[in-house]
Every structure is written in structure tokens, then in C-alpha cells.
Amino acid sequence: MNPQLLQERAEKTAQLYADTHNPHVHLERGILHEKLGFSDLAAADAYRALSLLESVVDPDGCEFHARRRRDGVVKVDEGGEDEDDDEDEDDKFVPLTQEEHDALIGKVYVLFVRSLVSCRCYRDAYEFCVRGIELLEKMHKDDDVAVLKEQMEIIREVYVTRQSRRESRTVGADEQIDPRILNAQGVARRVLYPWNEHEPDRKAEETLSLLNARLRDIAPKCEVRAVALPALHGSTNDAPEDGAGDVSVQLGLFAKDDITPGEIILRESSLLTATNRLHDDLCDACNAPLPELSSENPAVACDGCDDTIFCSQQCHDQAQEVYHGAVCGLLDGLESIGKDIPDPTDKADYLYLLLLGRAIAMAATQEKHPLELPEVKYIWGDFHDLEQSSTIPTDDPTATLPFSFQLSILQPMRILEEMELDPYSTLPLYDTWVLNTLYAKFRGTASGRLSTWDGGPELCAVHPLWCLANHSCDPNVRWEWGAEITFRARSESDRPVWKGKSEEERNVGGIKRDQEILNHYCDIGLDVQKRREWARGALGGLCLCERCIWEAAQ
């Protein structure tokens, strides 16, 4: 990655964080993000610039207004503080003029649409392209209109190809585009951003000691160790039959003592939870069912909210300290986001959005950077090598992160606004790269529960110590999730029978000292091809556990 561009990006970001309502700087950083190969971040920068520019022509209809520093320069003293902090706020900034709006609007539309197309978010790219062409033609910005029409041709080619396959007919190049046929969800690069200073050295002795100290209370017979695992990235086509190949050093859970079959070895609760069920009888904190009204220990309501109920006084008190303080009294607007999604295929993505909202509330309540939250800090986001991924990959779907205008840009901004946080001035905490990093961590580790009504996911949670157990298609524990998540050691009869082996050859129950504790993230009753197909999407490559290697060779 170009060091000069990274330095320019760092300088421009520092300028932006001190001048967050300036669309000039959003656009300039977006252009740098595009040059660095981060079209998703460029799209977010461009949209923020576009939203601010709208306030110039419709100030009464916009809550946040475009402005810029008078001199355009951030003066920093020897201690790194803004020298202008003592000035009156109105003296430091001036509103953007109509002339500035007119000079910027074409460039912003071009960057925004081009970035969405690059991310393959074709539906929203089409909508904004139509809007941009209509506006810019009236303003006689012929050069910008020409670029947008080029992008429209790319979108049209995608539409024609997709519609032809969908209807098994030849679609004419002049046929009217139906945006519903275009996909709204695209992809972004799934990488550890080079400017991310919050990611710990997960294999350092200090990290292992910290995690093991936390583990003593919830899993006294377990400890965290570094473990060499087969590198799954790049194993999407052919996997070595013997499992030999590159390795990736990650963390794992190991038994400190012998564990008997049926023994519960881990109990972990979490407040990083989400549900898409609106007005249901679940604890707002842990998602456990609420006790009956006649219970000896009845549910506890929040004094500041109408409908926020907790299953216990403990959950109520923890919620106030951990996340609820930032949303108390503000849930009328927040409750409408991501709930009761009609299409079951969209439910999982919206659950991740709701997890993102809970993480934002945690960070705001605790006054922490989101990536410093203990619930997410030590989770690995299944990141790909930055140097080997200079652009959005087209041949390796595991190197990408789902990305869309709605769930990655618009709805997170709406969450911040409903929490009465300025999505521009809080950019140092909730920048798009931060949210992408959270999404990457959630998608690799969140546990979920399916609805009994439509089979779609309805509850999910992140348990940061539970998820340290690595996957195997022959796990030695089973997990159960209620108010807390547990690991229970499997008995011999619980272990799966491998294809090509008899029942008498299945692995024994229980776990021996120093043996790794192996969880399962998929249905282990599936055949090896289907399990590996799942692993390609969830783990980044074909599963290389002992069972999969054995069965694939049969």
C-alpha cells in the first residue's frame, strides 16, 4: 500500500476530525480512500459530503449544516490541542455558500456513484445516478454528467445480464431499468486497516494473561492459549487432503483439567445482544424470557423508558452502566430501526446492524472508543492480508465483507441521530472503518437463535470468551444459549459418526487435560460438501478439521 497516500490520508483525516461539517474535506478524503482501494469508505465520505451540501439549498429541512473553518487550517499547540478551542464556536466557522455548493456538487455525485458501483451496490448507485444526472444537467455540468452516464452504462450492463438470466430471454440494451432487480448489497475489503491502532496483539503474553484472568470466573477448568490452525483463506477451491499447508496462529480454549462427559465447563453472559422482535417479552439486556408477573422475582422496568423491561434487578443495573444510559428515553425512534423485517433473507444482516447499534450505545455510555470495548477488542475479524488485497477481490468471496448503502452508511447515521449524537462531530469514534471492523468481528463470532415462526434468525449475541473456542465438525462440547451461553462436554453418544467409520469408531466423550475445546458453528449433521460450503462463507475457506479431511478423502 502506497505510504505516501497513507500519510496524506492520515493528515486529511486529522483535518476532517477538526472540521467535521466541511464537505470539502469529506470529498478530499473520499478521493484518497478511492485511490487506496477503499471504495466503501469513499462512498461513505461522499455521502456525508452530499448530505451536508443539501443543507445549503434546504437549511430548514436539515438538522446538520455545512460549514468550514474560516482559515481552513487547524492550528495545533505543542500539547497537540487545537489552539482555536478557546474561541467562540461561531467565530471559528462560516457557513458554506451557494457558490461552494455548486462547485462541489458534481464532484461529490461522481465520487459517490462511482464508489457504489465499485462496491457493487448497484441499486443505490442507480438511484443516485439518476438523481445526479437530473440535477447536474440543469446546472449544465456537462463533464460530471458524462461521467455519471458512463457509470449508468456499467449499471445497465449488470442489469441486462441479470435480467436476461432471470427471465431466460434476451433483454434489450434500451429496456427501462427496474432497480428492484439490481442488488443493494455489495462488498468491501475485509482487512485490518493500517491506521487501526486499537487492535491488540492477541498472542502476546499480556493479552493471554488478561483473557485467562477473565476466564477464571466463567470457565475455571479452561485457559486461553495460542494455537496454530490451518489457514483457510485461499482454500476455497482445492484443500490439501492431509491438511498440510499454511498455518494461522490464533487463540483457542484448552482444558486445564480432565472434564467428564456432561459437565458444564463455561457459563458466560453478555449484554452485547440484539433481537429483531418488536415489543416481545424478552429482557432488553440479555434477551432472556421475562419472568411471569406472579414470579417471586418479577421483571424490572426502567424508570426513564415506557417499554424497556429487564429480567432482573441485576440486568437492570448492569444495563444502566454498560449501554442503556446512552439510549434511555430515546427508544421511540431507535425501536423502529431493524425490527420486524418482512423478508427472512434480510434478517441476519439487520441483526448485525442492531448489534452495531448496541455497541455504539455501549461506547457512548462508557465513553470509550467502540473498538476498545472488552466485548469486541480481542475478537478476530477474519481479516485478509492487506498487501494481497489492494482492491475489492472478484475471485475470492471470503476476502470481502458485505457492504450496503443502507446498513453500512445510512442506518448507522440514523442510529447516531436517534441517540442525539451528531454523526459528523462523533466521526472520530464512529467513522465507517470503525463500523466495518465491528461488522467483521460480529460476522465471525455472533451466536444466533432461529425463529419458530419463519425459520429466520431473531436473536443474536456476542460472547467474547465463548467464541474463542475454535470450530470442528467433530466438536467435543455442545453449546446452549438462554440467559447465558454454556459449554457442556459431549458424551460418546453425542459425538458424530464419520462417513466411512462405524459407530464403534467415534471419538470418546469428555475432554482430557491439555486437549483443545472444540465448538461447532454449523450443522454437523450435514455431509462434508455442505459443511465445507458453509465454511467457505463463514470461516473464509474450506473446513480443514480432521473429520472434513477424512470424509473428503473417502
Side-chain angles (χ1 to χ4, degrees), residues 454-484:
D454 59 17
E458 63 180 10
L459 300 173
C460 67
V462 173
H463 296 85
L465 297 175
W466 170 87
C467 71
L468 291 176
N470 291 307
H471 167 78
S472 171
C473 294
D474 187 3
N476 51 22
V477 295
R478 63 168 62 251
W479 60 275
E480 300 162 354
W481 180 29
E484 59 185 7

Side-chain angles (χ1 to χ4, degrees), residues 319-540:
Q320 306 302 324
E321 296 176 1
V322 173
Y323 74 89
H324 191 67
V327 297
C328 188
L330 304 174
L331 292 176
D332 285 347
L334 287 166
E335 280 294 295
S336 64
I337 300 176
K339 300 293 182 73
D340 286 349
I341 304 301
D343 189 345
T345 60
D346 291 334
K347 284 191 172 184
D349 291 325
Y350 275 89
L351 273 176
Y352 290 125
L353 172 69
L354 294 173
L355 276 179
L356 189 74
R358 176 61 63 88
I360 291 172
M362 286 177 156
T365 299
Q366 300 174 47
E367 298 183 346
K368 284 184 178 180
H369 192 284
L371 298 180
E372 293 293 334
L373 293 169
E375 290 83 358
V376 300
K377 184 177 178 69
Y378 300 98
I379 293 175
W380 179 243
D382 197 25
F383 304 113
H384 276 239
D385 189 283
L386 182 65
E387 296 304 323
Q388 296 179 7
S389 176
S390 59
T391 58
I392 295 175
T394 58
D395 58 347
D396 184 3
T398 69
T400 61
L401 184 71
F403 179 86
S404 72
F405 169 66
Q406 281 289 328
L407 298 181
S408 305
I409 301 175
L410 186 64
Q411 294 301 331
M413 290 182 69
R414 184 182 167 201
I415 288 172
L416 290 168
E417 291 178 32
E418 293 292 349
M419 289 175 59
E420 298 184 350
L421 297 173
D422 183 337
Y424 301 96
S425 62
T426 58
L427 204 56
L429 290 173
Y430 309 114
D431 210 339
T432 305
W433 71 266
V434 175
L435 306 185
N436 280 356
T437 301
L438 289 171
Y439 269 138
K441 290 175 180 257
F442 295 159
R443 285 184 175 273
T445 59
S447 55
R449 195 160 74 209
L450 301 180
S451 168
T452 56
W453 292 92
D454 59 17
E458 63 180 10
L459 300 173
C460 67
V462 173
H463 296 85
L465 297 175
W466 170 87
C467 71
L468 291 176
N470 291 307
H471 167 78
S472 171
C473 294
D474 187 3
N476 51 22
V477 295
R478 63 168 62 251
W479 60 275
E480 300 162 354
W481 180 29
E484 59 185 7
I485 203 163
T486 63
F487 274 149
R488 186 187 297 271
R490 287 178 179 260
S491 63
E492 184 173 340
S493 61
D494 282 335
R495 303 294 290 264
V497 178
W498 296 14
K499 177 183 177 182
K501 291 188 177 184
S502 66
E503 289 199 17
E504 290 73 21
E505 294 178 282
R506 74 170 90 202
N507 284 322
V508 299
I511 305 168
K512 296 296 183 183
R513 179 178 178 178
D514 292 325
Q515 188 176 355
E516 185 174 5
I517 292 162
L518 297 171
N519 192 9
H520 65 103
Y521 304 153
C522 70
D523 182 354
I524 58 176
L526 299 172
D527 62 38
V528 63
Q529 290 83 6
K530 290 183 178 179
R531 296 198 311 269
R532 284 190 151 183
E533 183 65 27
W534 161 84
R536 178 160 51 185
L539 299 182

Side-chain angles (χ1 to χ4, degrees), residues 133-202:
I133 290 173
E134 181 181 358
L135 172 65
L136 298 177
E137 282 182 337
K138 294 177 181 178
M139 299 176 68
H140 305 292
K141 291 188 172 293
D142 297 339
D143 291 344
D144 295 327
V145 169
V147 176
L148 288 181
K149 287 184 175 179
E150 290 174 2
Q151 296 301 309
M152 183 63 81
E153 285 307 306
I154 296 173
I155 297 169
R156 180 174 295 281
E157 289 177 11
V158 172
Y159 173 79
V160 168
T161 300
R162 179 162 299 181
Q163 187 71 331
S164 297
R165 291 174 180 170
R166 186 170 178 264
E167 298 191 357
S168 300
R169 65 179 178 87
T170 301
V171 176
D174 58 347
E175 182 173 314
Q176 178 68 34
I177 293 177
D178 180 355
R180 295 173 299 177
I181 306 303
L182 298 168
N183 56 290
Q185 181 169 281
V187 291
R189 295 163 66 188
R190 190 169 189 157
V191 296
L192 185 60
Y193 296 101
W195 52 82
N196 181 358
E197 299 177 347
H198 301 277
E199 195 70 21
D201 181 352
R202 300 169 72 249

Side-chain angles (χ1 to χ4, degrees), residues 44-344:
D45 285 335
Y47 179 72
R48 283 187 283 265
L50 183 62
S51 298
L52 288 168
L53 287 173
E54 287 180 1
S55 72
V56 177
V57 295
D58 183 20
D60 294 335
C62 298
E63 182 176 357
F64 306 102
H65 297 88
R67 65 183 189 183
R68 58 175 174 78
R69 283 183 173 267
R70 286 185 178 276
D71 54 9
V73 177
V74 182
K75 300 176 183 178
V76 178
D77 61 22
E78 293 181 359
E81 300 295 329
D82 185 352
E83 290 184 353
D84 294 334
D85 276 350
D86 293 334
E87 291 185 29
D88 185 76
E89 190 74 11
D90 293 335
D91 293 335
K92 289 191 292 184
F93 298 95
V94 293
L96 242 68
T97 64
Q98 183 67 47
E99 290 74 16
E100 288 177 287
H101 168 279
D102 294 350
L104 282 176
I105 191 67
K107 298 181 180 67
V108 169
Y109 262 112
V110 164
L111 177 63
F112 187 37
V113 172
R114 189 169 60 213
S115 299
L116 288 177
V117 169
S118 180
C119 291
R120 306 169 210 162
C121 301
Y122 297 116
R123 186 183 303 171
D124 291 292
Y126 170 80
E127 300 285 2
F128 281 99
C129 196
V130 170
R131 192 183 308 178
I133 290 173
E134 181 181 358
L135 172 65
L136 298 177
E137 282 182 337
K138 294 177 181 178
M139 299 176 68
H140 305 292
K141 291 188 172 293
D142 297 339
D143 291 344
D144 295 327
V145 169
V147 176
L148 288 181
K149 287 184 175 179
E150 290 174 2
Q151 296 301 309
M152 183 63 81
E153 285 307 306
I154 296 173
I155 297 169
R156 180 174 295 281
E157 289 177 11
V158 172
Y159 173 79
V160 168
T161 300
R162 179 162 299 181
Q163 187 71 331
S164 297
R165 291 174 180 170
R166 186 170 178 264
E167 298 191 357
S168 300
R169 65 179 178 87
T170 301
V171 176
D174 58 347
E175 182 173 314
Q176 178 68 34
I177 293 177
D178 180 355
R180 295 173 299 177
I181 306 303
L182 298 168
N183 56 290
Q185 181 169 281
V187 291
R189 295 163 66 188
R190 190 169 189 157
V191 296
L192 185 60
Y193 296 101
W195 52 82
N196 181 358
E197 299 177 347
H198 301 277
E199 195 70 21
D201 181 352
R202 300 169 72 249
K203 300 176 286 292
E205 195 62 40
E206 178 184 2
T207 300
L208 294 176
S209 297
L210 184 149
L211 292 174
N212 279 317
R214 292 169 57 188
L215 199 62
R216 288 189 198 107
D217 293 331
I218 68 167
K221 286 191 174 183
C222 303
E223 69 178 0
V224 183
R225 301 177 189 172
V227 58
L229 301 173
L232 301 187
H233 294 163
S235 65
T236 56
N237 296 316
D238 297 301
E241 292 187 0
D242 60 357
D246 294 338
V247 297
S248 172
V249 179
Q250 297 294 337
L251 300 182
L253 284 183
F254 288 79
K256 294 195 295 184
D257 299 297
D258 289 348
I259 297 168
T260 59
E263 184 177 352
I264 293 178
I265 59 173
L266 177 145
R267 295 181 182 273
E268 184 179 14
S269 59
S270 174
L271 300 190
L272 184 47
T273 62
T275 177
N276 54 30
R277 291 159 56 174
L278 189 60
H279 303 308
D280 215 334
D281 54 348
L282 298 174
C283 175
D284 187 76
C286 70
N287 275 345
L290 294 175
E292 298 290 337
L293 293 175
S294 58
S295 171
E296 183 179 342
N297 296 303
V300 179
C302 173
D303 291 336
C305 303
D306 292 333
D307 298 314
T308 304
I309 313 295
F310 302 94
C311 66
S312 66
Q313 189 67 46
Q314 180 182 8
C315 264
H316 170 277
D317 295 346
Q318 286 183 337
Q320 306 302 324
E321 296 176 1
V322 173
Y323 74 89
H324 191 67
V327 297
C328 188
L330 304 174
L331 292 176
D332 285 347
L334 287 166
E335 280 294 295
S336 64
I337 300 176
K339 300 293 182 73
D340 286 349
I341 304 301
D343 189 345

